[in-house]
């Protein structure tokens, strides 16, 4: 009688440890109380072995899913001491395991399954391939195959097109499972078959023929890194020579951004300042702008926020300001006033003259309100080195001042003090500068300086159209700053 169940599709639950097995019955041994399944599936996965044998003591529940030549009585189960009509097998220490007869299963299938139901396309396809219906879906605890016969939803007839409705479960879940590969996919082997160099070479050849520009290919040379403020998108070519002068001063400079700043002669600078004053940029305004820019640069040279802090008031920097009786001297006094307002100890040297320029008199009056110190003799200057020396002794027009005794004494003191020197608006001299300056600050446009240290340029507020009136095509090179360094081009 055991031979009647050979080839039946069954599901065997061996508990949580061993899991659930499904397959076709290949042999049943009543003597040793064992059952064997061929082509087994373990928890929905195909087993690597062709056949598995189970002992009755390991079987918790047995379900007959399909009988050769008959239906699939999904409701027929056997577990523990459940009794049914039919044959039964006993395991050691367990109640008889009832197995229904084949005739009873067929009667139950005919009773609960409507004969008018038409088979779905998936069922017909599986039968044409000779595959069992139970293999088309994974059998787990919630699978539709584990439901009883009473839960089966019959298919409906009487469609308008003459055919019955397909079962929704069959339409959604009726596709056969793809066979699970026994071996892993060889990624390295398949990658080795891809010749990257040959593919890129073919792409470049086709693009050269079509005239298209290649992007992202290895042959395209692009910068490896970009600055945070650098635009990597293509833009219009940059014009670095944006300032054109009618007459070259004999020397050219460039900014940190690469813009070319040509030098001009003192005659052209004087003409530019006269036109600006005629349009309202008076001498007082120029003095104020020059003083602000020079004091900002001096504060940076003194240490900036690292030196000028509320915690460092006991070590205020000391600046010696050397000024002559001219406009350049007035610019220096304006710078000293701004430095004194920023808690810098300023010592102003200005020789005594019977008659002073009005601009100097006005600046001295403002400087006296800051608490800064003013001296007229070199002997009153400090003997110890100061933090910074600002040189405003020289003038563009009156070169005879260099022969005065006070001038030579002030120059000797500055060169012997061993403090760095900043020259504001130094003149163009054929010979070396009297004071060895480390930095030089030019106004508006630079002059062709020689031996004046590192050159800086400050913006004194001259509009563009005023530059155009004197024949200068001008575009501001300052960017977001009022003072910028210049480099010899």
């Amino acid at each position: 009688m055991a031979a009647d169940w050979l080839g039946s599709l069954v599901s065997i639950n061996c508990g949580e440890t061993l899991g659930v097995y499904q397959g076709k019955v290949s042999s049943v041994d009543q003597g040793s109380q064992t059952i064997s399944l061929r082509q087994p599936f373990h928890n929905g996965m195909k087993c690597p072995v062709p056949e598995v044998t189970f002992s009755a003591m390991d079987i918790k529940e047995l379900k007959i899913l399909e009988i050769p030549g008959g239906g699939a009585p999904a409701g027929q189960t056997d577990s523990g001491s459940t009794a049914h009509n039919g044959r039964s097998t006993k395991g050691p220490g367990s109640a008889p395991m009832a197995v229904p007869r084949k005739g009873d299963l067929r009667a139950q299938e005919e009773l609960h399954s409507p004969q008018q139901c038409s088979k779905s396309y998936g069922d017909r396809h599986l039968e044409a391939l000779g595959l069992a219906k139970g293999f088309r879906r994974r059998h787990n605890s919630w699978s539709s195959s584990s439901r009883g016969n009473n839960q089966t939803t019959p298919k409906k007839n009487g469609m308008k097109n003459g055919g019955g409705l397909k079962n929704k479960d069959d339409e959604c879940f009726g596709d056969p499972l793809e066979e699970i590969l026994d071996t892993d996919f060889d990624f390295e082997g398949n990658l080795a078959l891809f010749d990257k160099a040959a593919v890129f070479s073919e792409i470049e050849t086709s693009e050269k023929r079509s005239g298209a520009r290649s992007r992202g290919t290895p042959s395209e040379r692009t910068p490896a890194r970009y600055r945070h403020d650098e635009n990597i998108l293509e833009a219009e070519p940059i014009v670095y020579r944006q300032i054109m002068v009618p007459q070259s001063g004999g020397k050219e400079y460039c900014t940190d951004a690469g813009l070319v700043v040509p030098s001009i002669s003192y005659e052209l600078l004087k003409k530019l300042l006269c036109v600006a004053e005629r349009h309202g940029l008076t001498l007082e305004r120029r003095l104020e702008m020059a003083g602000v820019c020079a004091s900002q640069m001096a504060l940076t040279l003194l240490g900036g926020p690292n030196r000028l802090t509320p915690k460092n008031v006991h070590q205020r920097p000391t600046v010696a300001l050397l000024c002559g009786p001219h406009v350049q001297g007035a610019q220096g006094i304006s710078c000293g006033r701004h430095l004194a307002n920023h808690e810098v100890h300023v010592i102003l040297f200005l020789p005594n003259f019977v008659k002073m320029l009005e601009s100097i008199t006005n600046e001295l009056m403002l400087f006296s309100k800051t608490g800064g110190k003013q001296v007229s003799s070199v002997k009153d200057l400090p003997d110890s080195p100061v933090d910074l020396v600002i040189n405003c002794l020289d003038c563009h027009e009156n070169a005879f001042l260099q022969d005065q005794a006070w001038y030579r004494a002030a120059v000797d003191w500055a060169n012997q003090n061993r403090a760095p020197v900043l020259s504001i608006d130094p003149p163009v001299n054929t010979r070396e500068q009297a004071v060895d300056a480390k930095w030089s600050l030019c106004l508006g446009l630079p002059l062709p300086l020689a031996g004046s240290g590192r050159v800086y340029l400050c913006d004194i507020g001259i509009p563009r159209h005023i530059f155009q009136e004197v024949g200068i095509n001008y575009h501001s090179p300052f960017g977001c700053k009022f003072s910028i360094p210049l480099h010899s081009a």
Side-chain angles (χ1 to χ4, degrees), residues 268-343:
L268 184 57
L269 177 61
K270 184 178 179 180
K271 182 179 179 181
L272 176 65
L273 296 178
C274 290
V275 174
E277 188 171 356
R278 188 173 69 246
H279 286 283
L281 188 61
T282 60
L283 176 62
E284 289 75 13
R285 289 188 174 186
R286 296 206 319 266
L287 292 178
E288 192 68 19
M289 285 296 301
V292 171
C293 293
S295 61
Q296 287 180 348
M297 182 176 176
L299 291 173
T300 302
L301 297 177
L302 291 172
N306 298 324
R307 179 77 181 274
L308 302 171
T309 61
K311 298 180 180 180
N312 202 24
V313 293
H314 61 287
Q315 294 180 346
R316 292 192 305 166
T318 302
V319 174
L321 190 59
L322 308 180
C323 297
H326 37 63
V327 175
Q328 283 69 34
Q331 294 172 353
I333 299 173
S334 176
C335 174
R337 170 168 55 87
H338 289 291
L339 290 176
N341 291 337
H342 287 265
E343 302 298 331

Side-chain angles (χ1 to χ4, degrees), residues 10 21 76 90-91 116 140 153 165 242 283 339 363 375 444-445 452:
V10 299
Y21 288 83
Q76 298 297 327
K90 293 183 178 181
Q116 298 87 357
N140 50 27
T153 303
L165 282 175
Q242 299 180 358
L283 176 62
L339 290 176
E363 291 296 333
V375 298
L445 284 177
S452 301

